[in-house]
Amino acid sequence: GGGVPLPSPTACPTLSSSFSAQQQQLQSSSAFLASSLKADPSDHDATILTAFSLAQTAHVEASRVLLVNRGLLPLLEEWLTSNVKDLERQAVSIVASLCARSHGDDDSSGTNSNNSNSSSSSSSSNSLGSGSLDIYTRGFIDAKILASNILPHLLPLASSNELEIRGHVAEALADLSRQAQNRSSLVRTGGISSLVLLLGDAAGDLDAQAEVAEHALTALNHLAMDHQ
């Protein structure tokens, strides 16, 4: 039909190498998660190692949908309620990674108008090919998280005595709150109380907890948009 053919991954050595590396990484992640689901939960050290490895994998955007589709969320539910600090720490880190998005990805129903400067700069960086997940993929991951028991198990950890855990909880809630369709679930499950708790704790030690306070304020501001 006279159309211009698109280059295949093998047409360019650099593109081919990048594509192959990504495919190998995803295959490795899939195989690792499959073996993790079969692991003996009574093997404490192996479980912690599994959680740590999956936390590292979840930092890679391209792996997140695969992890969710292959059964990661039920594992996270167990780890979040394990009362084992090492597992809680890795679980909240994974949840924060699954919820992560760039700050230019706020819902257009008010967030962008309040942060026009940051949005325009983020849009510029995204247009340069940051590799961020598209809005539909992020929406799919958010929906899976909110349909699970992740949020009810995550919110109590806002009172954790570990700053790292509280920080990941605040980060996850801030990112989830950026999309309007997520906000009713956050409110319904008690997210506002958890965010107020996080903010109150952070206010007592802003030097160490400035980032927690920022995330909590961001989430509260987003949730308030639906009631203006």
Side-chain angles (χ1 to χ4, degrees), residues 76 80 87-97 154 157 164-166 168-169 172:
L76 292 179
L80 288 170
L87 286 178
E88 290 176 353
R89 194 178 301 114
Q90 301 308 324
V92 293
S93 173
I94 294 170
V95 173
S97 292
L154 178 72
L157 293 177
E164 181 181 353
I165 290 176
R166 296 198 306 276
H168 284 311
V169 172

Side-chain angles (χ1 to χ4, degrees), residues 140-151:
F140 169 80
I141 294 173
D142 288 353
K144 287 289 189 180
I145 289 173
L146 295 177
S148 71
N149 287 317
I150 295 293
L151 207 53

